[in-house]
Amino acid sequence: DAGVIQSPRHEVTEMGQEVTLRCKPISGHNSLFWYRQTMMRGLELLIYFNNNVPIDDSGMPEDRFSAKMPNASFSTLKIQPSEPRDSAVYFCASSSPGRYIQYFGAGTRLSVL
Amino acid sequence: AQSVTQLGSHVSVSEGALVLLRCNYSSSVPPYLFWYVQYPNQGLQLLLKYTSAATLVKGINGFEAEFKKSETSFHLTKPSAHMSDAAEYFCAVSETGGYNKLIFGAGTRLAVHP
């Protein structure tokens, strides 16, 4: 299996622009998680889905952030408009039914100038 | 709610020395416990997991961890550190309520010097 695939690996954008991060979970996994990692705040859970349905988005920092999972093999995290404080590494992880092991993608490093 | 405390945000050891990374959890029910490792510019990788089978769990790269219910601890150890062990290590506990959610500790950065 190819593992969790995230794209792009690096994104540099200017403040005010829309940013879309993409994630393809491992086939057969039904839970998907979006995390953000910064030096100051560490690893933060933003939102997670189960069977394509958002379960808890309490970690989403503000309304500028939104996430969707239109089908079992694809999810997006969108930031509109982006701000310099959104600069971070964003990880996607997935897990299979009944198992707590999460498999992480390689992450997207976002820099907002 | 579950929580995880990792004592020491930075640990430094000499190559060949014992590695001990500490993790304490709070849980009202027997949890599943995990250690993940993150190498520079990579995602988190599972190192080992405790799922109530054996209290001493062996993982990859010579690491092991012991579940101690009385101490609510799940410390990670390795008898002899290697330069390639330099990374950040995260302890995690399963959240009750399903959905495979994990609660992660703040992480411990391990440095290994010659």
Side-chain angles (χ1 to χ4, degrees):
Chain A
D1 200 318
V4 176
I5 299 173
Q6 292 187 245
S7 64
R9 286 297 313 277
H10 302 275
E11 176 80 42
V12 181
T13 190
E14 293 187 348
M15 182 175 61
Q17 296 298 306
E18 177 180 296
V19 175
T20 299
L21 311 181
R22 296 172 175 78
C23 175
K24 176 179 170 56
I26 294 172
S27 177
H29 285 192
N30 71 333
S31 294
L32 184 138
F33 305 82
W34 281 102
Y35 293 89
R36 178 172 69 175
Q37 187 177 41
T38 61
M39 291 292 291
M40 291 297 294
R41 302 175 69 91
L43 189 66
E44 303 174 274
L45 176 63
L46 300 178
I47 185 172
Y48 64 97
F49 296 82
N50 185 257
N51 293 326
N52 312 335
V53 176
I55 302 300
D56 184 354
D57 66 353
S58 61
M60 298 285 260
E62 43 195 282
D63 292 345
R64 297 185 296 106
F65 286 69
S66 62
K68 294 182 179 180
M69 193 164 185
N71 57 61
S73 59
F74 185 65
S75 177
T76 60
L77 178 68
K78 186 177 293 186
I79 308 173
Q80 166 65 18
S82 59
E83 297 183 3
R85 58 192 168 126
D86 301 330
S87 297
V89 181
Y90 292 81
F91 289 105
C92 174
S94 69
S95 65
S96 58
R99 302 193 68 193
Y100 281 94
I101 299 172
Q102 292 184 17
Y103 296 87
F104 282 73
T108 295
R109 183 174 296 276
L110 174 65
S111 296
V112 183
L113 306 178
Chain B
Q2 318 285 47
S3 67
V4 175
T5 302
Q6 291 186 240
L7 295 175
S9 58
H10 290 81
V11 171
S12 181
V13 300
S14 299
E15 191 173 19
L18 171 71
V19 175
L20 171 60
L21 305 182
R22 300 178 186 274
C23 172
N24 289 88
Y25 67 92
S26 68
S27 175
S28 57
V29 297
Y32 293 163
L33 292 157
F34 305 82
W35 277 98
Y36 280 81
V37 60
Q38 184 181 27
Y39 298 104
N41 300 314
Q42 296 186 26
L44 279 70
Q45 304 173 32
L46 181 67
L47 201 55
L48 52 79
K49 65 183 186 294
Y50 166 75
T51 56
S52 75
T55 56
L56 183 62
V57 181
K58 294 186 183 299
I60 61 173
N61 300 336
F63 283 92
E64 62 182 36
E66 186 172 9
F67 172 68
K68 291 188 176 180
K69 184 178 179 181
S70 61
E71 299 177 8
T72 61
S73 69
F74 190 56
H75 301 331
L76 181 70
T77 60
K78 181 174 180 178
S80 177
H82 192 273
M83 297 295 287
S84 60
D85 294 327
E88 188 153 20
Y89 293 80
F90 293 89
C91 182
V93 63
S94 56
E95 176 71 274
T96 54
Y99 303 123
N100 297 351
K101 179 182 176 182
L102 297 179
I103 306 300
F104 283 89
T108 297
R109 186 169 298 277
L110 175 67
V112 182
H113 52 85

